[in-house]
Amino acid sequence: MPELPEVETVRRGLQRLVVGRRIDGVEVGRERTVRRTSRQALIDGLTGTSLVAAGRRGKYLLCPLDSGDGLMVHLRMTGQLLLVESGSARPLHTHVVLHLGDAELLFVDSRTFGEMVVYDPDHVDIELPEVARLGLDPLVDNPDPDQLWAVLRRRSMRIKPLLLDQHVIAGIGNIYADEILHAARLHPETPASSLRRRDAVAIHEAMGRILNDSIRAGGSTLSDVGYVDMMGEGGSYQDAHLVYGRTGERCPTCGRGFIRRITSGGRSTHFCPVCQRPRT
DNA sequence: AAACAAACCTGTGCGC
DNA sequence: TGCGCACAGGTTTGTT
């Protein structure tokens, strides 16, 4: 569910509402949420500390603690961080509770793919190997069009699965990959090795604009489960989606094609067959 | 290297 | 109303 704009919205919530507040108690319900280490490791690592800052790389929240350790949170498909008043009713699937004086930070996650871990920042490459190998973050690293072109063109994969590869670009998920490729007028199965410089420029422009617009809108909240920010509020960027979830609708860009849905790299993929015509 | 399937879980929406 | 099935925003692992 949450991709870069949604994770960034949560990061801003942590920065504004949780950084600097002492964690005076930790409860871990579901052990699976802390499977990388253990229930006791999370409790011992967080109790008595506070977040010094709230960082993000790709879809990973990385928060330095005043103990010198760091807290990593990944929401995966259905994870949510919610700030509530102490003593509030716990939503179904609340797996971790951080007590912050008169408030509580809840980690709620129905599918339990998400995780939390306290790590040693000096050993990220061992404790969080996938974070150490993350690719360029469109906002944190702010790559220029030529850097982007360089990392994309040296692969022969199709562009859609490549955009989803977190080791290449970090933070793009299934919704924004489709929206970015539509804005750049590229068919999702275009081989990356065939990209021209002007394609990279188009992807670069679309990526920056779409991700920033979405952050401004508080992210995308789809009708079903629904991503929400720390205060439980949904975003509104789904209203600006041009292709994702619009199968069969007339293309709002060219007005001639009808949005098609295919499977690419095992993921549902939406595009306009007219303005994203495959190249030969 | 790249494509594909399956796995991890739970919930929802749809056709019948 | 109920049942079964397809499908879901992420990522890893194993197999061709």
Side-chain angles (χ1 to χ4, degrees):
Chain A
M1 121 209 231
E3 305 182 29
L4 189 152
E6 293 76 33
V7 178
E8 174 63 16
T9 302
V10 173
R11 186 200 70 75
R12 291 179 184 188
L14 286 172
Q15 183 72 53
R16 190 165 68 87
L17 301 165
V18 174
V19 164
R21 299 183 67 160
R22 183 186 141 92
I23 300 167
D24 42 38
V26 178
E27 295 172 55
V28 179
R30 196 66 103 113
E31 190 111 35
R32 183 170 150 75
T33 301
V34 294
R35 59 194 173 281
R36 192 176 307 230
T37 52
S38 68
R39 168 176 291 145
Q40 208 53 47
L42 194 83
I43 293 171
D44 293 346
L46 291 179
T47 305
T49 69
S50 61
L51 275 62
V52 171
R56 179 191 61 75
R57 185 159 184 84
K59 299 167 193 165
Y60 293 78
L61 289 164
L62 300 166
C63 306
L65 302 168
D66 66 3
S67 62
D69 285 338
L71 170 67
M72 185 281 271
V73 181
H74 198 304
L75 305 173
R76 281 302 215 286
M77 296 284 265
T78 52
Q80 302 178 332
L81 284 176
L82 299 172
L83 190 68
V84 300
E85 272 180 49
S86 292
S88 302
R90 304 262 169 91
L92 197 60
H93 306 301
T94 298
H95 304 314
V96 175
V97 179
L98 305 189
H99 293 270
L100 306 165
D102 58 1
E104 293 171 352
L105 184 66
L106 311 180
F107 182 80
V108 181
D109 184 15
S110 64
R111 285 176 77 177
T112 69
F113 290 169
E115 60 172 323
M116 298 179 75
V117 54
V118 173
Y119 64 96
D120 177 352
D122 294 332
H123 298 98
V124 174
D125 46 340
I126 298 162
E127 297 181 21
L128 301 175
E130 77 276 32
V131 172
R133 296 198 324 251
L134 243 25
L136 294 169
D137 183 289
L139 301 190
V140 175
D141 299 316
N142 191 23
D144 65 34
D146 288 302
Q147 284 175 275
L148 193 61
W149 191 33
V151 300
L152 294 179
R153 68 189 294 214
R154 63 166 182 250
R155 310 289 287 276
S156 62
M157 248 191 243
R158 296 164 302 175
I159 185 64
K160 160 94 190 238
L162 185 56
L163 285 184
L164 292 178
D165 186 338
Q166 304 297 302
H167 306 308
V168 177
I169 306 287
I172 308 292
N174 207 35
I175 295 177
Y176 297 100
D178 284 0
E179 294 298 321
I180 288 165
L181 290 175
H182 177 72
R185 302 283 190 276
L186 286 165
H187 189 283
E189 303 200 299
T190 307
S193 52
S194 75
L195 295 180
R196 319 273 178 82
R197 184 174 184 280
R198 64 172 173 273
D199 298 320
V201 170
I203 292 173
H204 180 268
E205 188 281 327
M207 190 179 279
R209 178 173 51 79
I210 289 170
L211 295 177
N212 279 302
D213 282 355
S214 181
I215 291 168
R216 220 168 289 125
S220 299
T221 297
L222 300 191
S223 51
D224 54 341
V225 190
Y227 147 82
V228 292
D229 67 15
M230 276 182 34
M231 303 308 292
E233 298 288 322
S236 62
Y237 194 71
Q238 66 281 0
D239 298 338
H241 293 175
L242 299 183
V243 291
Y244 187 88
R246 300 203 181 281
T247 308
E249 293 181 29
R250 185 179 291 277
C251 173
T253 303
C254 69
R256 295 193 292 130
F258 291 87
I259 306 306
R260 277 191 54 191
R261 179 183 180 279
I262 62 171
T263 296
S264 183
R267 319 284 261 108
S268 71
T269 297
H270 311 72
F271 69 102
C272 169
V274 174
C275 52
Q276 291 168 265
R277 198 174 276 118
R279 290 199 294 234
T280 51

